[in-house]
Amino acid sequence: MTRSGGDEVLRFDLDGEERAISLKISQLTQRMVAGLPDRALDLLELAAHVYAVDSSVSRGGPALQKMGAQWHRRFHIDMAVRDLAFWQHADVSAALEELLAFLSGDKFTFTFGLRQHSDAERNRFFKFGNQSAWSADRVLMFSGGLDSYAGALEETVSQGLSVALVSHASSTKIERVQKDLLAALRAKLNPDLFRHVPVQMQMVGGVKEGTHRSRSFLFATLGAVTAFGFGQNRVSFHENGVVSLNLPPVGNVQGTRATRTTHPKSLLLMSQFLGLVFEKGMRVDNPFFWHTKKEVVEKVAQLEMVEQIRHTRSCADIHNQTKLHPHCGRCSQCVDRRFSVLAAGLETQDPKEAYAVDLLDGVRKSVVDKETALSYVRAAQQYVHATPDMLQQRYPEILQAVESFNEPAPTALSRIAGLLKRHGQSVISVMDHTLDHQAADAFPANSLPWMYGEEKRKAAFSAGADVPTISLQTSDQTYTIEFDDERQTATVADVVDIPKGANFNLLRELATEHLCAAGQGLDPLDYPTIAAVDLSDRLDLASDEALRQRVNRARNTLGRLLEEAGLNAEQGKELVENILGQGYRLNPTLVSVRIKSATR
């Protein structure tokens, strides 16, 4: 007999306004829940609170305006707990706050008080299934995507293990996908190898912030609680390593926009924190980290379930999915999926008709859609040729992953370089194969092959092309740019005047991001860029080409003016930096910014 354990709605006050989140975990047994320690129940409520407040406070909208000031938030959560002594330990608070800071980019602090509770409260978030002696060898997080599906196959078909699949369906469409995939597994394999543990989670009153960076903390908590109930101390997220690293191939994927769910540092911090909550330890890992997406797709084929590829879902645009087009074809997840399936030679198992915009033939209308596809290919080109040292210089954040592995840093960095190179080769092989059979200009205008061909021609024949630059060495010479917003003029190094106009407007937009990064105390190489599409919008320019021309003119003007003042002309041109595939910024190794006070 299935019966609910009680009120699954968790209510809280947010700056005096009552808010609520509903949370229900199904298919666990009363015996499993009765064995959970008080601190595990506290953790479940705490993770739900964190997710709820994250979803209830906007970061400032998708325009990324004042990114550093608005996107990075501060929260203080005051909640009552059952195991007060545990939560008041300094090492517990430190581990929790470090984990949430890395996952979300926000600052979380906590105050805990003692909670009076009854035994009945233990069951409030659980909908019990039939009592059963079934037990799991492994606990996996299951989304219905290609990677998590391949993970379920790997653990059952290859390893012969019984797995509990914990999943949350953000829509009824995804819930149906998950159920159908599991039904296909049960039909072909031993049905006793699987137990589905669905989780229902919904903000009462709607969501104000859709990035959901803290959601992975809640998911890891749900997985850990399930694992503990089955007597296990390991939870696995299966995701290919390129996505887990999440190096920014698109310029506006910065800071809090880039998910860190399966980043190696996230998993390490989760393991360390959850190891404090559960006395026997709790490991959170990603067995697919050293796999590319192509290799994951190939694994599904090797395990003889290739016909199910078409039934998995990878698209980020869930709400606009249709039966005819379950994938939008525009988002980075769709681009990644389609490239990988084509590289693996399994396109018949993932028909192009399933994509509203086909990877190769489809016309990409918006600037964002164009940049998403092109930046993905640009990044792949870089990965093919990048040495470990080049990766470390171009993407200094990669060291956060390197330091999270239990092996020498040079070894980890070399292995990551190999992973990215294999990924890059698979992407470029698709582009080369495509253009070997049909010229780029034979494709529809604004399709990916057409844009790729246009970009290659510009790079080869345009003397005025915007050549990407990045200065990786610090300089003894720095240039202070002082902005007078009232007069709309700027002064470089106290001697070079930039009058009101196009060059001032460009420098002033870049200075906003520079000041935000400086105010956060970021390392200079971590200063964010502004994506071409965003900078074009801010400067009211019609296209990326117009922006490139604007930047080139500004660089040349700065170089000339500095040379006339007896300063370094080449460094003048480098004051505005373009990082390939990411965007534009003031060179943080050469520039400091000052805003002139109106009262001076």
Side-chain angles (χ1 to χ4, degrees):
M1 177 179 178
T2 300
R3 58 189 179 87
S4 176
D7 182 7
E8 69 274 9
V9 177
L10 185 66
R11 297 171 178 82
F12 61 97
D13 288 331
L14 181 66
D15 292 335
E17 178 184 355
E18 184 173 297
R19 304 278 293 176
I21 179 174
S22 64
L23 178 65
K24 186 179 292 184
I25 308 170
S26 301
Q27 298 305 317
L28 300 187
T29 67
Q30 289 177 304
R31 175 186 57 79
M32 294 166 65
V33 174
L36 290 172
D38 282 349
R39 67 183 64 167
L41 296 172
D42 291 337
L43 171 64
L44 190 60
E45 294 187 1
L46 184 147
H49 271 120
V50 167
Y51 173 77
V53 298
D54 177 13
S55 301
S56 300
V57 178
S58 173
R59 294 185 186 274
L64 300 182
Q65 295 176 353
K66 299 181 181 177
M67 178 177 172
Q70 289 181 287
W71 276 62
H72 300 274
R73 305 161 301 175
R74 292 178 177 269
F75 296 107
H76 181 80
I77 296 179
D78 188 349
M79 66 174 287
V81 293
R82 300 163 180 81
D83 191 346
L84 180 60
F86 171 78
W87 293 104
Q88 287 183 330
H89 284 170
D91 56 346
V92 172
S93 296
L96 173 61
E97 291 172 9
E98 182 183 8
L99 167 59
L100 292 177
F102 184 75
L103 282 176
S104 68
D106 300 318
K107 174 69 173 177
F108 280 86
T109 55
F110 298 85
T111 298
F112 297 107
L114 183 62
R115 174 176 182 168
Q116 302 298 323
H117 65 281
S118 65
D119 289 340
E121 281 189 313
R122 300 184 64 82
N123 300 341
R124 65 181 304 194
F125 300 120
F126 300 93
K127 183 176 182 180
F128 298 120
N130 295 326
Q131 300 303 307
S132 169
W134 186 88
S135 64
D137 299 314
R138 294 289 310 280
V139 174
L140 314 182
M141 306 308 294
F142 183 73
S143 66
L146 249 176
D147 291 31
S148 70
Y149 177 71
L153 290 178
E154 171 69 14
E155 301 294 342
T156 53
V157 178
S158 290
Q159 306 298 327
L161 301 176
S162 298
V163 298
L165 300 171
V166 182
S167 63
H168 165 249
S170 55
S171 74
T172 55
K173 298 174 184 177
I174 295 300
E175 183 178 13
R176 184 73 263 162
V177 167
Q178 293 169 352
K179 289 181 178 179
D180 288 347
L181 287 170
L182 289 171
L185 288 174
R186 292 191 183 99
K188 190 165 184 177
L189 305 173
N190 181 352
D192 288 337
L193 290 176
F194 303 94
R195 172 70 62 86
H196 191 205
V197 182
V199 176
Q200 295 174 320
M201 181 173 65
Q202 185 175 9
M203 286 295 301
V204 179
V207 170
K208 294 184 179 180
E209 176 52 51
T211 52
H212 299 309
R213 285 291 302 275
S214 68
R215 180 163 52 188
S216 54
F217 173 55
L218 178 54
F219 285 173
T221 294
L222 294 167
V225 167
T226 303
F228 183 89
F230 283 114
Q232 303 297 322
N233 61 354
R234 180 181 176 188
V235 180
S236 293
F237 291 82
H238 286 79
E239 191 161 60
N240 72 84
V242 180
V243 169
S244 294
L245 282 173
N246 211 351
L247 301 179
V250 182
N252 65 355
V253 182
Q254 294 283 355
T256 50
R257 280 209 156 195
T259 179
R260 289 175 170 170
T261 297
T262 56
H263 189 282
K265 184 173 180 178
S266 295
L267 301 183
L268 177 63
L269 293 175
M270 285 181 187
S271 296
Q272 291 173 343
F273 170 68
L274 293 173
L276 298 174
V277 178
F278 299 94
E279 293 181 350
K280 293 184 178 180
M282 186 62 63
R283 174 182 167 190
V284 185
D285 62 13
N286 175 14
F288 279 178
F289 180 81
W290 299 110
H291 290 61
T292 67
K293 186 83 166 187
K294 171 179 177 277
E295 291 162 354
V296 169
V297 173
E298 290 172 335
K299 185 175 288 292
V300 176
Q302 292 163 5
L303 297 175
E304 300 181 351
M305 292 293 283
V306 69
E307 73 280 359
Q308 291 301 314
I309 288 177
R310 68 183 62 210
H311 300 301
T312 62
R313 296 290 180 266
S314 304
C315 184
D317 190 9
I318 295 171
H319 297 294
N320 291 317
Q321 290 179 1
T322 65
K323 289 184 177 180
L324 180 61
H325 300 306
H327 290 97
C328 72
R330 306 185 321 274
C331 69
S332 61
Q333 291 94 319
C334 283
V335 171
D336 187 45
R337 173 191 173 103
R338 189 62 177 157
F339 261 117
S340 301
V341 170
L342 291 174
L346 295 171
E347 56 269 29
T348 59
Q349 303 299 332
D350 189 46
K352 61 187 292 185
E353 293 78 17
Y355 295 80
V357 176
D358 178 61
L359 177 67
L360 301 175
D361 296 330
V363 175
R364 300 178 188 275
K365 297 179 181 179
S366 76
V367 175
V368 172
D369 292 348
K370 295 174 186 176
E371 187 65 17
T372 296
L374 266 179
S375 294
Y376 184 91
V377 177
R378 289 191 203 114
Q381 289 174 312
Q382 291 179 27
Y383 298 155
V384 169
H385 301 290
T387 65
D389 286 343
M390 291 168 64
L391 283 174
Q392 182 177 337
Q393 290 179 328
R394 180 60 60 87
Y395 302 106
E397 63 268 32
I398 208 169
L399 292 178
Q400 293 178 318
V402 169
E403 294 164 355
S404 301
F405 292 107
N406 187 26
E407 58 186 53
T411 302
L413 184 59
S414 179
R415 293 182 69 193
I416 289 173
L419 169 76
L420 294 173
K421 183 173 184 175
R422 298 196 310 275
H423 165 74
Q425 288 171 333
S426 71
V427 173
I428 300 307
S429 71
V430 172
M431 294 304 300
D432 288 346
H433 177 78
T434 300
L435 297 178
D436 283 346
H437 288 76
Q438 185 173 326
D441 56 7
F443 284 86
N446 294 318
S447 65
L448 177 56
W450 183 89
M451 292 188 294
Y452 183 66
E454 285 288 293
E455 191 164 272
K456 291 177 73 174
R457 281 192 291 272
K458 287 178 183 178
F461 296 108
S462 176
D466 180 24
V467 180
T469 62
I470 177 169
S471 296
L472 296 171
Q473 303 298 324
T474 58
S475 171
D476 293 334
Q477 174 69 58
T478 59
Y479 299 86
T480 298
I481 306 180
E482 183 176 68
F483 293 89
D484 186 333
D485 287 343
E486 185 175 351
R487 297 174 55 204
Q488 291 194 311
T489 60
T491 303
V492 181
D494 293 326
V495 293
V496 173
D497 292 325
I498 307 297
K500 178 180 179 179
N503 291 335
F504 170 83
N505 294 337
L506 170 67
L507 294 174
R508 189 63 183 87
E509 287 295 341
L510 297 174
T512 299
E513 307 302 319
H514 188 98
L515 286 170
C516 287
Q520 296 166 51
L522 297 180
D523 183 276
L525 289 178
D526 289 335
Y527 277 32
T529 59
I530 305 178
V533 58
D534 292 330
L535 191 54
S536 296
D537 288 345
R538 295 188 194 186
L539 297 174
D540 198 25
L541 297 175
S543 66
D544 289 357
E545 179 59 31
L547 175 63
R548 283 191 285 268
Q549 293 176 4
R550 172 75 60 86
V551 170
N552 280 336
R553 286 195 295 268
R555 284 181 178 148
N556 291 331
T557 298
L558 287 166
R560 176 178 56 79
L561 291 175
L562 262 67
E563 184 176 36
E564 291 173 355
L567 299 173
N568 189 316
E570 290 306 310
Q571 287 189 341
K573 295 178 181 180
E574 293 176 1
L575 297 182
V576 176
E577 188 175 60
N578 172 32
I579 301 179
L580 182 63
Q582 297 187 38
Y584 299 88
R585 67 182 181 183
L586 293 179
N587 189 328
T589 66
L590 291 176
V591 173
S592 62
V593 171
R594 212 165 48 211
I595 306 297
K596 185 175 182 179
S597 171
T599 60
R600 285 179 54 184

